[in-house]
Amino acid sequence: MATVPLLSDEEASAEALAVFDDIRATRGTDYVNNFWRALAHDPALLRATWERLKVVMGPGALDPLVKEMIYVAVSTANGCEYCVHSHTAAARAKGMTPAQHSEMLAVIGMAMQTNGIVTGLQVPVDDIFKA
Amino acid sequence: MATVPLLSDEEASAEALAVFDDIRATRGTDYVNNFWRALAHDPALLRATWERLKVVMGPGALDPLVKEMIYVAVSTANGCEYCVHSHTAAARAKGMTPAQHSEMLAVIGMAMQTNGIVTGLQVPVDDIFKA
Amino acid sequence: MATVPLLSDEEASAEALAVFDDIRATRGTDYVNNFWRALAHDPALLRATWERLKVVMGPGALDPLVKEMIYVAVSTANGCEYCVHSHTAAARAKGMTPAQHSEMLAVIGMAMQTNGIVTGLQVPVDDIFKA
Amino acid sequence: MATVPLLSDEEASAEALAVFDDIRATRGTDYVNNFWRALAHDPALLRATWERLKVVMGPGALDPLVKEMIYVAVSTANGCEYCVHSHTAAARAKGMTPAQHSEMLAVIGMAMQTNGIVTGLQVPVDDIFKA
Amino acid sequence: MATVPLLSDEEASAEALAVFDDIRATRGTDYVNNFWRALAHDPALLRATWERLKVVMGPGALDPLVKEMIYVAVSTANGCEYCVHSHTAAARAKGMTPAQHSEMLAVIGMAMQTNGIVTGLQVPVDDIFKA
Amino acid sequence: MATVPLLSDEEASAEALAVFDDIRATRGTDYVNNFWRALAHDPALLRATWERLKVVMGPGALDPLVKEMIYVAVSTANGCEYCVHSHTAAARAKGMTPAQHSEMLAVIGMAMQTNGIVTGLQVPVDDIFKA
């Protein structure tokens, strides 16, 4: 259960519906997922979040699939269940293979492990790593 | 200052030195960074960590640069200063351009932002995201 | 399911029941929420936590509603589902409006975003920010 | 040391300088802090971050000082040194008293403590907290 | 629901089954828990994780029960529901009493609390703590 | 630099000095570390934190050294530099050997690693782990 009700198309305001429409058009699907339905209580935050997401996750210097995997990595480290599920699904939709999924998990695990050991050791940053 | 002294080649045990030698040979550089010098107090942990890192970060289904960016993403979410510095340097050494660095940071920021909003809203996972 | 059973009034010890009574009297409700029922296995920890909570969240230099929003912010960053739910409910009981809820979420999202970007950039603290 | 050089006014591009100018005009100070100078390598990310920050942290349903305290709370839970320093300074500039600072820290500490205990106990969310 | 299906003995590959067999023999139980069944999609990651776990959690300079409590402490701070449940169960199986469980939770709560206050205050490390 | 000045004995109030005196007497040393000197701005928070710490970290069902290691584990997962340093020093003062330190770090690393992999996989909790 969310801390706010999820708004159906009928319950959403005109401003929120306009964002839903753009989500549908951009993604080529009629399905609007729960995150946007929860955000619909605040159409300004809904629009700002969606507009920014389109820019950040769109084509650029990084492959869209790589962006989704970075998204999953951050969401995993932050323990965000919804985000892990939704962006793992998005990565799959963009072509992530089972072998790539496994390797991503192995890298996440490796990073978590050394994050812990380095922090426990309080290793000082080498001069050669500084920009 | 670390919670243990960093061991120079002279101070390291033979077992630790053998790992240092493999790090040098694998990376084609004489430089052994502080993380390994701190770990050298426990040669078994040093070896296990290094051997696993070689496997996980080596060639596979994901590009080595992509792996480094996933590593940076996790380390950033966990706030590990050393890891952010060392793996950003590693990503650059593997070809990360300034434009790719910027996009990675934008994706990390976007993921952090929605991780926070989703968690504050406690959005339930959509059925269609479930495997 | 918790890692310990939740204790009903019948199962709780006399010391735990005394804390339940104070919770009821302080809050003006008969309902004792699950957190306290799980803590009831250790009446000393239950009492210490409740007594401290009363002091910290009570009247002072900050408005009680502001304190609840700070509590939600920390709980969100830590990904504590129970705490997000219980303190969002508490904030509402203390007068948080839907508009305030939305703004709090926007601020949490903004902070998460810049936390990530700043950490990825490892920006050094400006001298003028130091006390 | 940051993972990128901080850009001076002389080094920044025209697009980045335009954002610096708006920061100066909005804040009524000539000082542009390190975060923006690090972001200046990517003028588009610099502008998007600054424009969004102005909206989110500006006047609304919550007092600007309350917003800064929520920002500090999130940054503290995430362990972001730079963000804790810069937003504590901002909170002071917006009128946070030493007594308010102390209470905010006490609330942050209380929330962290119960976040840990609740998570260790895996307390299920009470039905009455659900929206 | 996991992001991958959990594999039954019938669905697991021969390599994965060999690890299941070792888990069963090592633990003296026929039950293989969900973590390993989810990992079974990548037999190499399954084996590497299990082999390392056996070494790290086995007999050594620290008591196996102490190791489980350290594991729970980390998992709690990271908000990993599965890990809190599985390692609390493992700690109980290794003899953790209810009184020890309660004290562990009190220490976790105390550490979380001072982690937050110290980070909010940005207290510099005393010279005498440096190795 | 802290977000507040550290108070010397001369600058501290009588209430804060009384806590400093108890810290000195309890620990059998004249040295009062920076955390308490930063907290001295709020004598009530200083006293409440110190009094609780004495109870939680004192003798009980768990060995005091075990409690310090749990404290380090949580502080490491939370990335609290000061806390890692001060409680690693405290653990050493209570007899932690280099071999125990290394094993603790290996367990922390293992827990972080599986926390990441489990969260990435979103493994559901086994029924047998539920209390």
Side-chain angles (χ1 to χ4, degrees):
Chain A
M1 230 356 144
T3 59
V4 296
L6 305 183
L7 299 190
S8 66
D9 282 17
E10 289 66 36
E11 295 162 322
S13 66
E15 303 98 296
L17 265 185
V19 179
F20 287 4
D21 285 346
D22 192 42
I23 292 172
R24 287 175 164 123
T26 304
R27 295 183 165 171
T29 168
D30 205 48
Y31 191 75
V32 174
N33 56 296
N34 291 344
F35 177 49
W36 308 112
R37 295 195 178 281
L39 270 181
H41 291 273
D42 182 351
L45 182 57
L46 169 65
R47 176 162 291 286
T49 306
W50 167 247
E51 293 294 346
R52 185 68 189 147
L53 192 79
K54 271 199 298 185
V55 171
V56 170
M57 300 305 283
L62 293 176
D63 185 82
L65 172 54
V66 170
K67 290 184 178 183
E68 290 294 348
M69 289 194 291
I70 292 169
Y71 216 113
V72 173
V74 170
S75 303
T76 300
N78 281 333
C80 181
E81 178 184 2
Y82 186 88
C83 314
V84 169
H85 273 294
S86 59
H87 289 276
T88 298
R92 282 201 178 108
K94 290 179 182 170
M96 182 175 70
T97 66
Q100 288 175 321
H101 189 205
S102 284
E103 283 201 18
M104 178 186 70
L105 291 169
V107 175
I108 291 172
M110 190 77 218
M112 294 283 291
Q113 180 181 25
T114 58
N115 286 181
I117 295 174
V118 162
T119 301
L121 288 167
Q122 289 291 310
V123 183
V125 180
D126 301 69
D127 286 340
I128 64 158
F129 292 145
K130 293 178 177 165
Chain B
M1 230 356 145
T3 58
V4 295
L6 305 182
L7 299 191
S8 66
D9 282 17
E10 288 68 34
E11 295 162 323
S13 66
E15 302 98 298
L17 265 185
V19 179
F20 287 4
D21 285 347
D22 190 44
I23 292 172
R24 287 176 164 123
T26 304
R27 295 182 165 171
T29 168
D30 204 49
Y31 190 76
V32 174
N33 55 296
N34 291 345
F35 178 48
W36 308 113
R37 295 194 177 283
L39 270 181
H41 291 273
D42 182 351
L45 182 57
L46 169 65
R47 176 163 291 286
T49 307
W50 168 247
E51 293 295 347
R52 185 69 189 146
L53 191 78
K54 270 198 298 187
V55 171
V56 171
M57 300 304 283
L62 293 177
D63 185 82
L65 171 54
V66 171
K67 290 184 178 183
E68 289 294 347
M69 289 193 291
I70 291 169
Y71 216 113
V72 172
V74 171
S75 302
T76 300
N78 281 333
C80 181
E81 178 184 2
Y82 187 88
C83 314
V84 169
H85 272 295
S86 58
H87 288 277
T88 298
R92 283 202 177 106
K94 290 178 182 169
M96 181 176 70
T97 65
Q100 289 175 320
H101 189 204
S102 284
E103 283 200 18
M104 178 186 70
L105 290 169
V107 175
I108 291 172
M110 191 76 217
M112 294 282 292
Q113 181 182 23
T114 59
N115 287 181
I117 295 174
V118 163
T119 301
L121 288 167
Q122 288 292 310
V123 183
V125 179
D126 301 68
D127 286 340
I128 63 159
F129 292 146
K130 294 177 177 166
Chain C
M1 214 27 123
T3 58
V4 296
L6 305 182
L7 299 190
S8 67
D9 281 18
E10 289 65 36
E11 296 163 321
S13 66
E15 304 98 297
L17 264 184
V19 178
F20 286 4
D21 285 347
D22 191 42
I23 291 171
R24 287 173 164 126
T26 303
R27 295 182 165 173
T29 170
D30 204 49
Y31 190 76
V32 175
N33 55 296
N34 291 346
F35 177 48
W36 308 111
R37 295 195 177 281
L39 269 181
H41 291 272
D42 181 352
L45 182 58
L46 168 66
R47 176 164 290 287
T49 306
W50 167 248
E51 293 294 346
R52 185 67 189 148
L53 191 79
K54 270 200 300 187
V55 171
V56 170
M57 300 305 283
L62 293 177
D63 185 81
L65 171 54
V66 171
K67 291 185 178 183
E68 290 293 349
M69 289 193 292
I70 292 169
Y71 216 113
V72 173
V74 170
S75 303
T76 300
N78 281 333
C80 181
E81 178 184 2
Y82 186 89
C83 313
V84 169
H85 272 294
S86 60
H87 288 277
T88 298
R92 283 202 178 107
K94 290 178 182 170
M96 182 176 69
T97 64
Q100 288 175 321
H101 189 205
S102 284
E103 284 201 16
M104 179 186 70
L105 291 169
V107 174
I108 290 171
M110 191 77 218
M112 294 284 291
Q113 181 182 24
T114 59
N115 286 181
I117 296 174
V118 162
T119 300
L121 288 167
Q122 289 291 311
V123 183
V125 180
D126 300 69
D127 287 340
I128 64 158
F129 292 146
K130 293 178 177 165
Chain D
M1 219 16 130
T3 58
V4 295
L6 305 182
L7 297 191
S8 67
D9 282 17
E10 288 68 35
E11 295 162 321
S13 66
E15 303 98 297
L17 264 184
V19 178
F20 286 4
D21 285 346
D22 191 42
I23 292 172
R24 286 175 164 123
T26 304
R27 293 181 165 172
T29 169
D30 205 49
Y31 190 76
V32 174
N33 54 296
N34 291 345
F35 177 49
W36 309 112
R37 295 193 177 284
L39 270 181
H41 290 273
D42 181 351
L45 182 57
L46 169 65
R47 176 163 292 285
T49 307
W50 167 247
E51 293 295 347
R52 185 68 189 147
L53 191 79
K54 271 199 299 186
V55 171
V56 171
M57 300 304 282
L62 293 177
D63 185 82
L65 172 54
V66 171
K67 290 184 177 182
E68 289 293 349
M69 290 193 291
I70 292 169
Y71 217 114
V72 172
V74 170
S75 304
T76 300
N78 280 332
C80 181
E81 178 184 2
Y82 186 89
C83 314
V84 169
H85 272 294
S86 59
H87 288 277
T88 299
R92 282 200 178 107
K94 290 178 181 170
M96 181 176 70
T97 65
Q100 289 175 322
H101 188 205
S102 285
E103 284 200 17
M104 178 186 70
L105 291 169
V107 175
I108 291 171
M110 191 76 217
M112 295 283 291
Q113 180 182 23
T114 58
N115 286 180
I117 295 174
V118 163
T119 301
L121 288 167
Q122 289 291 311
V123 183
V125 180
D126 300 68
D127 287 339
I128 65 159
F129 292 146
K130 293 177 179 165
Chain E
M1 222 10 135
T3 58
V4 295
L6 305 182
L7 298 191
S8 67
D9 281 17
E10 289 67 34
E11 296 163 321
S13 66
E15 304 99 296
L17 265 185
V19 178
F20 287 3
D21 285 347
D22 191 42
I23 292 172
R24 287 175 164 122
T26 304
R27 293 181 166 171
T29 169
D30 205 49
Y31 190 75
V32 174
N33 55 296
N34 291 344
F35 177 47
W36 308 112
R37 294 194 178 282
L39 270 181
H41 291 273
D42 181 352
L45 182 57
L46 169 65
R47 176 163 292 285
T49 307
W50 166 248
E51 293 295 346
R52 185 67 190 148
L53 191 80
K54 271 199 298 186
V55 171
V56 170
M57 301 304 283
L62 293 177
D63 186 81
L65 172 55
V66 170
K67 290 185 178 182
E68 289 293 349
M69 289 193 290
I70 292 169
Y71 216 114
V72 173
V74 170
S75 303
T76 301
N78 281 334
C80 181
E81 178 184 1
Y82 186 89
C83 314
V84 169
H85 272 294
S86 60
H87 289 276
T88 298
R92 283 202 177 105
K94 291 179 180 170
M96 181 175 71
T97 65
Q100 288 175 321
H101 189 205
S102 284
E103 283 200 18
M104 178 186 71
L105 290 169
V107 174
I108 290 172
M110 191 76 218
M112 294 284 291
Q113 181 182 24
T114 58
N115 287 180
I117 295 174
V118 162
T119 301
L121 288 167
Q122 289 290 312
V123 183
V125 180
D126 301 69
D127 287 339
I128 64 159
F129 292 145
K130 294 177 179 166
Chain F
M1 214 28 122
T3 58
V4 296
L6 305 182
L7 298 191
S8 67
D9 282 18
E10 288 67 34
E11 295 163 322
S13 66
E15 302 98 299
L17 265 185
V19 179
F20 286 4
D21 285 347
D22 191 43
I23 292 172
R24 286 174 164 126
T26 304
R27 294 181 166 173
T29 168
D30 205 48
Y31 191 76
V32 174
N33 56 296
N34 290 345
F35 177 49
W36 308 112
R37 294 194 177 283
L39 270 181
H41 291 272
D42 181 350
L45 182 57
L46 169 65
R47 176 164 290 287
T49 307
W50 167 247
E51 292 295 347
R52 185 68 188 147
L53 191 79
K54 271 200 299 187
V55 171
V56 171
M57 300 305 283
L62 293 177
D63 185 82
L65 171 54
V66 170
K67 290 185 177 182
E68 289 294 348
M69 289 193 291
I70 292 169
Y71 216 113
V72 172
V74 170
S75 303
T76 300
N78 281 332
C80 181
E81 178 185 3
Y82 186 89
C83 314
V84 169
H85 272 294
S86 59
H87 288 277
T88 298
R92 282 200 177 107
K94 290 177 181 170
M96 181 176 68
T97 65
Q100 289 175 321
H101 189 205
S102 285
E103 284 200 17
M104 178 186 70
L105 290 169
V107 175
I108 291 172
M110 190 77 217
M112 294 283 291
Q113 180 182 23
T114 58
N115 287 180
I117 295 173
V118 163
T119 301
L121 288 167
Q122 289 291 312
V123 184
V125 179
D126 301 67
D127 287 340
I128 65 159
F129 293 146
K130 293 178 178 167

